[in-house]
Amino acid sequence: MDCSATEMDCSATVANKIIDDQSLAEDELLSELEKEEIPAHIREARLEIFKQQSLQFQQLRDLSFGQYTLIPDEKSFLDLTTSPIVENCVIHFFHPDFRRCAIVDSHMEKLSKKYFKTKFAKLNVEKSNFLVTKLKIQMLPAILCFKSSIVVDRIIGFEELGNTDDFPSVVLEKRLAKSGVIQLSEEYDPSKKTIFGGKKSFVRNKQDDSSDEDY
């Protein structure tokens, strides 16, 4: 399989495979385990973890994990961010008329499919006056990172993302990893190995004129 039996950093594709055809996924897991000399009690423990993860994946998919979704109202925002099931959550506060908010949307859409354990969503500031005031959001785009219902980080505007409109998704990905709401995939963190088991960084000297919007 493409994810560890002891870790949950699976893509939405792998997670959905586990949910939709658990027997097939379990067969693949057994096949991987049999490639190594693993004591029976360890194999059984890993299978039990796999079954627990399958249940958790189902619960997360019910909350549209693996998708970048629009939060319809403030109550839904509070329900999502305070849910005991949702450990990591990334919320984009956006305005439908702001160009840079649309740019953030495109990157959030990609990352939501890559990091199934983290919930990616967006909330229209025009429909969330209370939260905008409560969270002191004064400039857009505004990305807030939540861990266990607590705001642990904020990414405001594009200053930390290269201060340019054409930054690649990996820039936002690495920035979110610093917040702890995602763990970088092995693609960008070669030191991380699964139990079954040099990307060039984005550098730009050009200073783009800041077009972040005050709100």
Side-chain angles (χ1 to χ4, degrees):
M1 292 188 64
D2 295 329
C3 65
S4 165
T6 58
E7 296 180 354
M8 294 281 288
D9 298 327
C10 295
S11 68
T13 300
V14 175
N16 286 330
K17 183 177 182 180
I18 291 174
I19 295 167
D20 295 335
D21 195 342
Q22 181 173 337
S23 61
L24 176 60
E26 189 169 326
D27 286 343
E28 291 188 12
L29 176 61
L30 282 169
S31 177
E32 292 289 346
L33 292 174
E34 288 171 356
K35 291 178 182 179
E36 304 178 28
E37 294 183 0
I38 300 176
H41 70 283
I42 294 180
R43 182 180 289 106
E44 291 176 2
R46 290 180 179 176
L47 282 172
E48 181 59 32
I49 291 173
F50 172 81
K51 291 176 182 178
Q52 293 174 2
Q53 288 181 351
S54 296
L55 175 60
Q56 185 176 357
F57 283 150
Q58 181 63 65
Q59 293 174 327
L60 295 180
R61 193 172 73 166
D62 290 344
L63 290 173
S64 297
F65 275 63
Q67 301 176 44
Y68 180 47
T69 53
L70 174 65
I71 301 173
D73 51 46
E74 292 180 319
K75 181 182 183 303
S76 298
F77 168 89
L78 294 173
D79 289 343
L80 174 64
T81 56
T82 59
S83 170
I85 300 175
V86 181
E87 180 180 353
N88 299 306
C89 192
V90 181
I91 306 295
H92 172 209
F93 285 80
F94 78 100
H95 191 288
D97 296 333
F98 290 1
R99 176 173 53 86
R100 283 194 161 182
C101 289
I103 294 173
V104 170
D105 283 343
S106 66
H107 295 298
M108 295 278 279
E109 182 76 37
K110 293 178 183 178
L111 295 180
S112 69
K113 293 177 171 58
K114 189 171 184 178
Y115 293 95
F116 183 80
K117 254 190 78 175
T118 300
K119 177 58 191 168
F120 290 81
K122 61 181 179 178
L123 181 64
N124 189 337
V125 293
E126 293 183 311
K127 298 181 180 181
S128 51
N129 292 331
F130 170 77
L131 287 172
V132 166
T133 301
K134 183 73 173 179
L135 296 172
K136 299 179 180 179
I137 296 173
Q138 299 177 333
M139 182 180 291
L140 301 178
I143 301 172
L144 272 61
C145 302
F146 294 79
K147 288 186 71 68
S148 301
S149 306
I150 298 173
V151 178
V152 295
D153 202 356
R154 298 167 181 250
I155 305 171
I156 307 299
F158 281 9
E159 184 176 350
E160 296 183 75
L161 303 174
N163 202 27
T164 177
D165 289 359
D166 62 352
F167 65 91
S169 296
V170 65
V171 172
L172 177 58
E173 186 173 358
K174 290 182 176 181
R175 179 61 182 82
L176 291 175
K178 290 182 179 180
S179 304
V181 290
I182 64 171
Q183 293 185 355
L184 282 181
S185 63
E186 190 174 340
E187 177 184 4
Y188 300 117
D189 187 0
S191 64
K192 186 183 300 180
K193 302 294 182 181
T194 69
I195 61 171
F196 304 132
K199 188 81 171 177
K200 185 184 294 184
S201 61
F202 175 71
V203 178
R204 187 180 182 90
N205 294 323
K206 176 184 175 182
Q207 292 296 317
D208 186 31
D209 59 318
S210 176
S211 59
D212 301 325
E213 304 280 359
D214 291 330
Y215 181 75

